[in-house]
Amino acid sequence: MKIAIVCYPTFGGSGVVATELGLELAQKGHEIHFITYSQPVRLALLNTNVHYHEVNVPEYPLFHYQPYELALSSKLVNIIKQYKIELLHVHYAIPHAYAGYMAKQMLKEEGIEIPMVTTLHGTDITLVGNHPFYKPAVSFSINNSDVVTSVSNSLREETHKLFNIKKEIHVVPNFIELGKDNLNPSISCSRSVIANSNERIITHISNFRSVKRIPDVINIFYKIQEKIPAKLLLVGDGPEKENAEYLCQQLGIIDKVIFFGNSNEIDKILSVSDLFLLPSETESFGLAALEAMAWSVPVISSNSGGLPEVNFDGVSGYLSPVGAIDEMAENALKIVSNEETLKSFRKNALNVAEKFDIKNIVPLYENIYQKAINKQ
Protein backbone atom coordinates (compact mmCIF):
# COMPACT_ATOMS: atom_id res chain seq x y z
CA MET A 1 0.00 0.00 0.00
CA LYS A 2 1.01 3.63 -0.55
CA ILE A 3 0.21 5.48 2.67
CA ALA A 4 0.54 9.14 3.62
CA ILE A 5 0.96 9.84 7.35
CA VAL A 6 0.33 13.25 8.89
CA CYS A 7 1.49 13.90 12.44
CA TYR A 8 3.16 16.37 14.77
CA PRO A 9 6.94 15.89 14.44
CA THR A 10 7.65 16.48 18.12
CA PHE A 11 8.68 14.51 21.23
CA GLY A 12 4.99 14.02 22.11
CA GLY A 13 3.40 10.59 22.15
CA SER A 14 1.27 11.00 19.02
CA GLY A 15 4.27 11.96 16.88
CA VAL A 16 6.36 9.09 18.25
CA VAL A 17 3.59 6.54 17.62
CA ALA A 18 2.91 7.82 14.10
CA THR A 19 6.60 7.73 13.21
CA GLU A 20 7.23 4.25 14.62
CA LEU A 21 4.09 2.97 12.90
CA GLY A 22 5.24 4.35 9.55
CA LEU A 23 8.72 2.89 9.93
CA GLU A 24 7.36 -0.56 10.78
CA LEU A 25 4.96 -0.41 7.83
CA ALA A 26 7.89 0.50 5.58
CA GLN A 27 9.83 -2.50 6.89
CA LYS A 28 6.89 -4.65 5.85
CA GLY A 29 7.09 -3.33 2.30
CA HIS A 30 4.56 -0.49 2.28
CA GLU A 31 5.48 2.86 0.75
CA ILE A 32 5.21 5.51 3.48
CA HIS A 33 5.09 9.29 3.01
CA PHE A 34 5.38 11.49 6.10
CA ILE A 35 3.89 14.94 5.57
CA THR A 36 4.52 17.52 8.28
CA TYR A 37 6.21 20.87 8.98
CA SER A 38 9.57 19.38 10.07
CA GLN A 39 11.22 15.98 10.15
CA PRO A 40 9.83 13.82 13.00
CA VAL A 41 12.35 13.36 15.80
CA ARG A 42 12.41 9.57 15.46
CA LEU A 43 12.36 9.44 11.69
CA ALA A 44 15.34 7.75 10.03
CA LEU A 45 15.35 8.01 6.25
CA LEU A 46 17.55 4.97 5.65
CA ASN A 47 14.79 3.05 3.89
CA THR A 48 13.74 3.27 0.25
CA ASN A 49 10.10 2.92 1.36
CA VAL A 50 10.22 6.00 3.62
CA HIS A 51 9.69 9.51 2.25
CA TYR A 52 9.43 12.85 4.03
CA HIS A 53 7.67 15.92 2.61
CA GLU A 54 7.96 19.23 4.44
CA VAL A 55 4.99 21.57 4.63
CA ASN A 56 6.16 25.14 4.08
CA VAL A 57 3.88 27.98 5.16
CA PRO A 58 4.62 31.21 3.24
CA GLU A 59 4.64 34.30 5.45
CA TYR A 60 2.49 37.24 4.44
CA PRO A 61 2.00 40.47 6.45
CA LEU A 62 -1.74 40.05 5.82
CA PHE A 63 -1.88 37.03 8.15
CA HIS A 64 -1.47 37.53 11.88
CA TYR A 65 -1.29 33.73 12.21
CA GLN A 66 0.07 31.78 9.25
CA PRO A 67 -2.55 29.41 7.73
CA TYR A 68 -0.91 26.02 8.36
CA GLU A 69 -4.12 24.07 7.66
CA LEU A 70 -4.36 25.64 4.20
CA ALA A 71 -0.72 24.84 3.41
CA LEU A 72 -1.09 21.28 4.73
CA SER A 73 -4.25 20.49 2.76
CA SER A 74 -2.66 21.83 -0.44
CA LYS A 75 0.50 19.80 0.20
CA LEU A 76 -1.60 16.68 0.76
CA VAL A 77 -3.36 17.16 -2.57
CA ASN A 78 -0.04 17.52 -4.40
CA ILE A 79 1.64 14.52 -2.73
CA ILE A 80 -1.39 12.25 -3.11
CA LYS A 81 -1.58 13.03 -6.82
CA GLN A 82 2.16 12.88 -7.46
CA TYR A 83 2.80 9.57 -5.68
CA LYS A 84 -0.61 7.97 -6.25
CA ILE A 85 -1.22 7.59 -2.52
CA GLU A 86 -3.91 5.02 -1.69
CA LEU A 87 -4.69 5.97 1.90
CA LEU A 88 -4.29 8.97 4.22
CA HIS A 89 -3.68 8.39 7.94
CA VAL A 90 -3.85 11.50 10.11
CA HIS A 91 -2.80 11.52 13.75
CA TYR A 92 -4.43 14.08 16.04
CA ALA A 93 -7.81 15.54 15.19
CA ILE A 94 -6.63 19.17 15.12
CA PRO A 95 -5.72 20.36 12.59
CA HIS A 96 -4.84 17.20 10.69
CA ALA A 97 -8.26 15.60 10.26
CA TYR A 98 -9.69 18.96 9.25
CA ALA A 99 -6.93 19.55 6.67
CA GLY A 100 -7.30 15.95 5.50
CA TYR A 101 -11.01 16.42 4.88
CA MET A 102 -10.34 19.55 2.82
CA ALA A 103 -7.74 17.68 0.77
CA LYS A 104 -10.24 14.87 0.16
CA GLN A 105 -12.78 17.36 -1.14
CA MET A 106 -10.28 19.03 -3.46
CA LEU A 107 -9.21 15.65 -4.82
CA LYS A 108 -12.83 14.63 -5.27
CA GLU A 109 -13.27 17.56 -7.65
CA GLU A 110 -10.65 15.87 -9.82
CA GLY A 111 -12.26 12.45 -9.60
CA ILE A 112 -9.81 11.07 -7.01
CA GLU A 113 -11.27 9.23 -4.03
CA ILE A 114 -8.96 8.48 -1.10
CA PRO A 115 -9.93 7.08 2.31
CA MET A 116 -8.83 8.88 5.47
CA VAL A 117 -8.11 7.17 8.79
CA THR A 118 -8.08 9.49 11.80
CA THR A 119 -6.39 8.40 15.02
CA LEU A 120 -7.33 10.19 18.23
CA HIS A 121 -4.51 10.42 20.77
CA GLY A 122 -5.84 12.31 23.77
CA THR A 123 -5.40 16.05 24.22
CA ASP A 124 -6.74 16.59 20.71
CA ILE A 125 -10.04 15.45 22.24
CA THR A 126 -9.97 16.10 25.97
CA LEU A 127 -8.16 19.45 26.02
CA VAL A 128 -7.84 21.26 22.70
CA GLY A 129 -10.69 19.64 20.83
CA ASN A 130 -13.22 20.23 23.59
CA HIS A 131 -12.65 23.99 23.52
CA PRO A 132 -15.84 25.74 22.30
CA PHE A 133 -13.87 27.43 19.50
CA TYR A 134 -12.79 24.09 18.01
CA LYS A 135 -15.50 21.65 19.03
CA PRO A 136 -17.69 21.99 15.90
CA ALA A 137 -14.70 21.52 13.59
CA VAL A 138 -13.45 18.51 15.55
CA SER A 139 -16.87 16.83 15.51
CA PHE A 140 -17.20 17.50 11.79
CA SER A 141 -13.72 16.17 11.00
CA ILE A 142 -14.19 12.97 13.00
CA ASN A 143 -17.62 12.27 11.56
CA ASN A 144 -16.30 12.81 8.03
CA SER A 145 -13.33 10.48 8.44
CA ASP A 146 -13.68 7.12 6.73
CA VAL A 147 -12.32 5.28 9.76
CA VAL A 148 -11.69 6.55 13.29
CA THR A 149 -9.40 4.90 15.83
CA SER A 150 -8.45 5.77 19.39
CA VAL A 151 -5.50 4.59 21.45
CA SER A 152 -7.57 3.33 24.40
CA ASN A 153 -11.06 2.37 25.47
CA SER A 154 -10.97 5.26 27.92
CA LEU A 155 -10.35 7.78 25.13
CA ARG A 156 -13.11 6.25 23.00
CA GLU A 157 -15.59 6.65 25.85
CA GLU A 158 -14.42 10.21 26.52
CA THR A 159 -14.80 11.12 22.84
CA HIS A 160 -18.39 9.86 22.75
CA LYS A 161 -19.10 11.75 25.97
CA LEU A 162 -17.69 15.08 24.75
CA PHE A 163 -18.76 15.03 21.08
CA ASN A 164 -21.72 14.01 18.99
CA ILE A 165 -19.89 11.27 17.12
CA LYS A 166 -21.80 9.16 14.64
CA LYS A 167 -18.82 7.09 13.50
CA GLU A 168 -17.72 3.83 15.07
CA ILE A 169 -14.42 4.31 16.93
CA HIS A 170 -12.04 1.35 16.76
CA VAL A 171 -9.58 0.93 19.63
CA VAL A 172 -6.03 0.25 18.45
CA PRO A 173 -3.65 0.64 21.40
CA ASN A 174 -0.29 2.30 21.30
CA PHE A 175 2.68 0.00 20.99
CA ILE A 176 6.35 -0.51 21.76
CA GLU A 177 9.09 -2.07 19.66
CA LEU A 178 10.53 -5.04 21.52
CA GLY A 179 13.37 -7.35 20.60
CA LYS A 180 15.83 -4.64 19.59
CA ASP A 181 17.53 -2.15 21.91
CA ASN A 182 15.69 -3.18 25.06
CA LEU A 183 17.17 -6.67 24.79
CA ASN A 184 20.64 -5.39 23.91
CA PRO A 185 22.78 -4.99 27.03
CA SER A 186 25.31 -2.83 25.17
CA ILE A 187 22.76 0.02 25.04
CA SER A 188 22.92 0.41 28.79
CA CYS A 189 25.10 3.11 30.26
CA SER A 190 26.85 2.52 33.55
CA ARG A 191 24.66 3.09 36.60
CA SER A 192 27.72 4.43 38.40
CA VAL A 193 27.63 7.50 36.17
CA ILE A 194 24.24 8.44 37.66
CA ALA A 195 23.98 6.91 41.12
CA ASN A 196 25.90 5.12 43.84
CA SER A 197 25.69 1.34 43.96
CA ASN A 198 23.28 1.42 46.93
CA GLU A 199 20.89 3.97 45.38
CA ARG A 200 17.65 3.18 43.57
CA ILE A 201 17.06 5.15 40.38
CA ILE A 202 13.56 6.62 40.05
CA THR A 203 12.58 8.14 36.68
CA HIS A 204 9.91 10.39 35.22
CA ILE A 205 9.63 11.39 31.55
CA SER A 206 7.11 13.93 30.23
CA ASN A 207 6.52 17.29 28.59
CA PHE A 208 6.33 18.95 32.03
CA ARG A 209 2.80 20.27 31.60
CA SER A 210 0.55 20.73 34.64
CA VAL A 211 -1.47 17.62 33.71
CA LYS A 212 1.63 15.53 34.49
CA ARG A 213 1.56 16.70 38.13
CA ILE A 214 5.32 17.21 38.41
CA PRO A 215 5.08 18.38 42.07
CA ASP A 216 3.53 14.98 42.87
CA VAL A 217 6.49 13.25 41.20
CA ILE A 218 8.92 15.22 43.36
CA ASN A 219 6.94 14.76 46.58
CA ILE A 220 6.63 11.01 45.98
CA PHE A 221 10.38 10.83 45.47
CA TYR A 222 10.95 12.92 48.60
CA LYS A 223 9.13 10.29 50.66
CA ILE A 224 11.03 7.46 48.93
CA GLN A 225 14.46 8.97 49.60
CA GLU A 226 13.55 9.48 53.26
CA LYS A 227 13.44 5.66 53.59
CA ILE A 228 16.09 4.43 51.13
CA PRO A 229 19.01 5.95 49.17
CA ALA A 230 17.70 7.08 45.78
CA LYS A 231 18.18 9.39 42.80
CA LEU A 232 15.43 10.99 40.70
CA LEU A 233 15.88 11.40 36.95
CA LEU A 234 13.56 14.00 35.39
CA VAL A 235 13.54 13.86 31.61
CA GLY A 236 11.78 16.39 29.40
CA ASP A 237 11.07 20.08 29.25
CA GLY A 238 8.04 22.32 29.54
CA PRO A 239 6.26 25.02 31.54
CA GLU A 240 6.55 23.24 34.91
CA LYS A 241 10.30 22.63 34.81
CA GLU A 242 11.36 25.85 36.54
CA ASN A 243 8.86 25.29 39.36
CA ALA A 244 10.13 21.71 39.68
CA GLU A 245 13.70 22.92 40.16
CA TYR A 246 12.54 25.40 42.80
CA LEU A 247 10.55 22.72 44.68
CA CYS A 248 13.58 20.42 44.75
CA GLN A 249 15.63 23.25 46.25
CA GLN A 250 12.95 23.97 48.84
CA LEU A 251 12.83 20.31 49.88
CA GLY A 252 16.61 20.12 50.08
CA ILE A 253 16.91 17.30 47.52
CA ILE A 254 18.34 19.17 44.54
CA ASP A 255 21.56 17.13 44.85
CA LYS A 256 19.52 13.93 44.46
CA VAL A 257 17.68 15.05 41.30
CA ILE A 258 19.05 15.15 37.76
CA PHE A 259 17.23 17.29 35.17
CA PHE A 260 18.01 15.98 31.68
CA GLY A 261 15.75 18.21 29.58
CA ASN A 262 14.62 16.78 26.24
CA SER A 263 16.79 13.81 25.46
CA ASN A 264 17.37 11.42 22.56
CA GLU A 265 18.82 8.88 24.99
CA ILE A 266 15.58 7.72 26.60
CA ASP A 267 16.57 4.07 26.16
CA LYS A 268 19.85 4.53 28.04
CA ILE A 269 18.06 6.31 30.87
CA LEU A 270 15.35 3.65 31.18
CA SER A 271 17.94 0.87 30.99
CA VAL A 272 19.36 1.96 34.38
CA SER A 273 16.04 2.85 36.03
CA ASP A 274 14.47 0.85 38.85
CA LEU A 275 11.05 2.53 38.96
CA PHE A 276 8.98 4.88 36.80
CA LEU A 277 6.59 7.51 38.22
CA LEU A 278 3.56 8.72 36.25
CA PRO A 279 1.03 10.32 38.64
CA SER A 280 -0.75 12.24 35.85
CA GLU A 281 -4.10 13.99 36.15
CA THR A 282 -5.07 12.01 33.08
CA GLU A 283 -3.44 9.98 30.32
CA SER A 284 -5.25 8.86 27.20
CA PHE A 285 -2.99 5.81 27.08
CA GLY A 286 0.29 6.17 28.98
CA LEU A 287 2.93 5.59 26.32
CA ALA A 288 5.73 6.72 28.66
CA ALA A 289 4.69 3.99 31.11
CA LEU A 290 4.74 1.39 28.34
CA GLU A 291 8.20 2.48 27.21
CA ALA A 292 9.43 2.05 30.77
CA MET A 293 7.84 -1.39 31.08
CA ALA A 294 9.53 -2.46 27.84
CA TRP A 295 12.80 -1.91 29.71
CA SER A 296 11.53 -4.04 32.62
CA VAL A 297 10.88 -0.96 34.74
CA PRO A 298 7.78 -1.23 36.98
CA VAL A 299 5.42 1.76 37.11
CA ILE A 300 3.76 3.72 39.90
CA SER A 301 0.90 5.67 38.30
CA SER A 302 -2.48 7.24 38.82
CA ASN A 303 -5.52 5.21 37.81
CA SER A 304 -6.92 7.84 35.45
CA GLY A 305 -7.71 7.64 31.75
CA GLY A 306 -6.15 4.76 29.88
CA LEU A 307 -3.46 3.97 32.47
CA PRO A 308 -5.29 0.93 33.92
CA GLU A 309 -5.27 -0.51 30.38
CA VAL A 310 -1.45 -0.40 30.38
CA ASN A 311 -0.22 -0.60 33.98
CA PHE A 312 -1.73 -3.67 35.64
CA ASP A 313 -2.22 -3.03 39.34
CA GLY A 314 -0.12 -5.32 41.53
CA VAL A 315 1.50 -6.88 38.45
CA SER A 316 3.54 -4.38 36.43
CA GLY A 317 3.33 -1.77 39.19
CA TYR A 318 0.60 -0.09 41.20
CA LEU A 319 -2.31 2.26 40.49
CA SER A 320 -3.57 4.94 42.89
CA PRO A 321 -6.10 7.77 42.80
CA VAL A 322 -4.84 11.07 41.38
CA GLY A 323 -3.02 13.04 44.06
CA ALA A 324 -2.58 10.10 46.44
CA ILE A 325 1.07 10.94 47.11
CA ASP A 326 1.40 8.93 50.34
CA GLU A 327 -0.10 5.81 48.78
CA MET A 328 2.08 6.09 45.69
CA ALA A 329 5.21 6.47 47.83
CA GLU A 330 4.22 3.46 49.94
CA ASN A 331 3.64 1.37 46.82
CA ALA A 332 6.96 2.51 45.37
CA LEU A 333 8.75 1.41 48.53
CA LYS A 334 7.00 -1.98 48.39
CA ILE A 335 8.69 -2.56 45.05
CA VAL A 336 12.15 -1.06 45.43
CA SER A 337 12.90 -1.85 49.08
CA ASN A 338 13.30 -5.57 48.40
CA GLU A 339 15.53 -6.95 45.65
CA GLU A 340 13.44 -10.07 45.02
CA THR A 341 10.22 -8.06 44.87
CA LEU A 342 11.81 -5.67 42.39
CA LYS A 343 12.97 -8.57 40.21
CA SER A 344 9.45 -9.99 40.17
CA PHE A 345 7.88 -6.66 39.17
CA ARG A 346 10.57 -6.14 36.52
CA LYS A 347 9.72 -9.49 34.94
CA ASN A 348 5.98 -8.76 35.08
CA ALA A 349 6.44 -5.31 33.56
CA LEU A 350 8.20 -6.76 30.52
CA ASN A 351 5.57 -9.51 30.18
CA VAL A 352 2.80 -6.90 30.09
CA ALA A 353 4.74 -4.76 27.60
CA GLU A 354 5.02 -7.75 25.26
CA LYS A 355 1.25 -7.64 24.76
CA PHE A 356 1.77 -4.23 23.13
CA ASP A 357 4.64 -5.27 20.86
CA ILE A 358 4.51 -3.37 17.58
CA LYS A 359 4.36 -6.67 15.68
CA ASN A 360 1.03 -7.41 17.38
CA ILE A 361 -0.47 -3.96 16.76
CA VAL A 362 0.60 -3.01 13.22
CA PRO A 363 -1.44 -5.85 11.62
CA LEU A 364 -4.53 -4.26 13.21
CA TYR A 365 -3.80 -1.04 11.32
CA GLU A 366 -3.07 -2.94 8.09
CA ASN A 367 -6.45 -4.65 8.34
CA ILE A 368 -8.17 -1.28 8.88
CA TYR A 369 -6.30 0.23 5.92
CA GLN A 370 -7.23 -2.58 3.57
CA LYS A 371 -10.90 -2.47 4.51
CA ALA A 372 -10.96 1.32 4.02
CA ILE A 373 -9.34 1.01 0.58
CA ASN A 374 -11.69 -1.78 -0.45
CA LYS A 375 -14.71 0.37 0.37
CA GLN A 376 -13.71 3.06 -2.13
Side-chain angles (χ1 to χ4, degrees), residues 4 25 62 69 91 106 132 139 152 156 184 214 220 224 227 285 322 325 371:
L25 288 165
L62 174 65
E69 293 88 344
H91 293 259
M106 286 187 274
S139 295
S152 67
R156 176 174 63 180
N184 180 7
I214 305 300
I220 293 165
I224 293 171
K227 301 293 185 181
F285 178 80
V322 174
I325 294 170
K371 286 182 178 178

Short mmCIF file of all heavy atoms in Angstrom, two decimals, residues 4 25 62 69 91 106 132 139 152 156 184 214 220 224 227 285 322 325 371:
data_model
loop_
_atom_site.label_atom_id
_atom_site.label_comp_id
_atom_site.label_asym_id
_atom_site.label_seq_id
_atom_site.Cartn_x
_atom_site.Cartn_y
_atom_site.Cartn_z
N ALA A 4 0.06 7.85 3.15
CA ALA A 4 0.54 9.14 3.62
C ALA A 4 0.19 9.27 5.10
O ALA A 4 -0.95 9.01 5.50
CB ALA A 4 -0.08 10.28 2.83
N LEU A 25 5.67 -0.13 9.08
CA LEU A 25 4.96 -0.41 7.83
C LEU A 25 5.92 -0.44 6.65
O LEU A 25 5.80 -1.28 5.75
CB LEU A 25 3.87 0.64 7.60
CG LEU A 25 2.65 0.57 8.51
CD1 LEU A 25 1.84 1.87 8.43
CD2 LEU A 25 1.76 -0.63 8.15
N LEU A 62 -0.28 40.05 5.69
CA LEU A 62 -1.74 40.05 5.82
C LEU A 62 -2.20 39.15 6.96
O LEU A 62 -3.19 39.42 7.63
CB LEU A 62 -2.37 39.60 4.49
CG LEU A 62 -3.88 39.40 4.47
CD1 LEU A 62 -4.60 40.73 4.70
CD2 LEU A 62 -4.31 38.79 3.14
N GLU A 69 -3.14 25.03 8.18
CA GLU A 69 -4.12 24.07 7.66
C GLU A 69 -4.26 24.18 6.15
O GLU A 69 -4.36 23.17 5.45
CB GLU A 69 -5.49 24.28 8.32
CG GLU A 69 -5.53 23.97 9.80
CD GLU A 69 -5.15 25.18 10.65
OE1 GLU A 69 -4.57 26.14 10.10
OE2 GLU A 69 -5.43 25.15 11.86
N HIS A 91 -2.89 11.69 12.31
CA HIS A 91 -2.80 11.52 13.75
C HIS A 91 -3.04 12.86 14.42
O HIS A 91 -2.37 13.85 14.12
CB HIS A 91 -1.42 10.99 14.14
CG HIS A 91 -1.15 9.60 13.65
ND1 HIS A 91 -1.25 8.49 14.47
CD2 HIS A 91 -0.84 9.13 12.42
CE1 HIS A 91 -0.98 7.41 13.77
NE2 HIS A 91 -0.72 7.77 12.52
N MET A 106 -10.96 18.50 -2.28
CA MET A 106 -10.28 19.03 -3.46
C MET A 106 -9.96 17.92 -4.47
O MET A 106 -10.11 18.09 -5.68
CB MET A 106 -9.00 19.77 -3.04
CG MET A 106 -9.25 21.11 -2.40
SD MET A 106 -7.73 22.05 -2.10
CE MET A 106 -7.24 21.41 -0.50
N PRO A 132 -14.68 25.32 23.10
CA PRO A 132 -15.84 25.74 22.30
C PRO A 132 -15.47 26.28 20.92
O PRO A 132 -16.25 26.14 19.97
CB PRO A 132 -16.47 26.85 23.16
CG PRO A 132 -16.06 26.52 24.56
CD PRO A 132 -14.69 25.92 24.46
N SER A 139 -15.76 17.76 15.74
CA SER A 139 -16.87 16.83 15.51
C SER A 139 -17.05 16.56 14.01
O SER A 139 -17.20 15.41 13.59
CB SER A 139 -18.17 17.40 16.08
OG SER A 139 -18.11 17.52 17.47
N SER A 152 -7.11 4.07 23.22
CA SER A 152 -7.57 3.33 24.40
C SER A 152 -9.09 3.33 24.46
O SER A 152 -9.75 4.16 23.84
CB SER A 152 -7.01 3.96 25.69
OG SER A 152 -7.56 5.25 25.90
N ARG A 156 -11.90 6.45 23.81
CA ARG A 156 -13.11 6.25 23.00
C ARG A 156 -14.35 6.69 23.77
O ARG A 156 -15.21 7.41 23.24
CB ARG A 156 -13.25 4.78 22.58
CG ARG A 156 -14.54 4.49 21.81
CD ARG A 156 -14.59 3.08 21.27
NE ARG A 156 -14.60 2.08 22.33
CZ ARG A 156 -14.65 0.77 22.12
NH1 ARG A 156 -14.65 0.31 20.87
NH2 ARG A 156 -14.65 -0.07 23.13
N ASN A 184 19.23 -5.51 24.24
CA ASN A 184 20.64 -5.39 23.91
C ASN A 184 21.38 -4.76 25.09
O ASN A 184 21.27 -3.56 25.32
CB ASN A 184 20.82 -4.53 22.65
CG ASN A 184 22.28 -4.37 22.27
OD1 ASN A 184 23.16 -5.00 22.86
ND2 ASN A 184 22.53 -3.54 21.28
N ILE A 214 3.90 17.31 38.08
CA ILE A 214 5.32 17.21 38.41
C ILE A 214 5.58 17.38 39.91
O ILE A 214 6.42 16.67 40.48
CB ILE A 214 6.14 18.24 37.60
CG1 ILE A 214 5.89 18.05 36.08
CG2 ILE A 214 7.62 18.09 37.91
CD1 ILE A 214 6.24 16.70 35.54
N ILE A 220 6.56 12.47 45.83
CA ILE A 220 6.63 11.01 45.98
C ILE A 220 8.09 10.59 46.17
O ILE A 220 8.42 9.79 47.05
CB ILE A 220 6.01 10.30 44.75
CG1 ILE A 220 4.51 10.54 44.68
CG2 ILE A 220 6.31 8.80 44.79
CD1 ILE A 220 3.89 10.18 43.33
N ILE A 224 10.23 8.66 49.20
CA ILE A 224 11.03 7.46 48.93
C ILE A 224 12.44 7.64 49.50
O ILE A 224 12.96 6.76 50.20
CB ILE A 224 11.10 7.18 47.41
CG1 ILE A 224 9.72 6.79 46.88
CG2 ILE A 224 12.11 6.07 47.12
CD1 ILE A 224 9.65 6.70 45.36
N LYS A 227 13.37 7.05 53.09
CA LYS A 227 13.44 5.66 53.59
C LYS A 227 14.64 4.89 53.02
O LYS A 227 15.21 4.05 53.72
CB LYS A 227 12.15 4.92 53.22
CG LYS A 227 10.88 5.55 53.79
CD LYS A 227 10.82 5.45 55.29
CE LYS A 227 9.49 5.99 55.83
NZ LYS A 227 9.42 5.92 57.30
N PHE A 285 -3.51 7.17 27.18
CA PHE A 285 -2.99 5.81 27.08
C PHE A 285 -1.90 5.57 28.12
O PHE A 285 -1.99 4.70 28.96
CB PHE A 285 -2.44 5.55 25.68
CG PHE A 285 -1.83 4.18 25.50
CD1 PHE A 285 -2.65 3.08 25.28
CD2 PHE A 285 -0.46 3.99 25.58
CE1 PHE A 285 -2.10 1.81 25.13
CE2 PHE A 285 0.10 2.73 25.43
CZ PHE A 285 -0.72 1.64 25.21
N VAL A 322 -5.61 9.86 41.67
CA VAL A 322 -4.84 11.07 41.38
C VAL A 322 -4.60 11.85 42.67
O VAL A 322 -5.52 12.07 43.46
CB VAL A 322 -5.60 11.95 40.35
CG1 VAL A 322 -4.86 13.28 40.16
CG2 VAL A 322 -5.73 11.23 39.02
N ILE A 325 -0.39 10.94 47.03
CA ILE A 325 1.07 10.94 47.11
C ILE A 325 1.57 9.91 48.13
O ILE A 325 2.51 9.15 47.85
CB ILE A 325 1.59 12.35 47.46
CG1 ILE A 325 1.29 13.31 46.31
CG2 ILE A 325 3.08 12.33 47.77
CD1 ILE A 325 1.54 14.76 46.65
N LYS A 371 -9.44 -2.56 4.55
CA LYS A 371 -10.90 -2.47 4.51
C LYS A 371 -11.34 -1.08 4.01
O LYS A 371 -12.30 -0.98 3.26
CB LYS A 371 -11.49 -2.73 5.90
CG LYS A 371 -11.45 -4.21 6.31
CD LYS A 371 -12.09 -4.42 7.67
CE LYS A 371 -12.09 -5.88 8.06
NZ LYS A 371 -12.67 -6.13 9.40
#
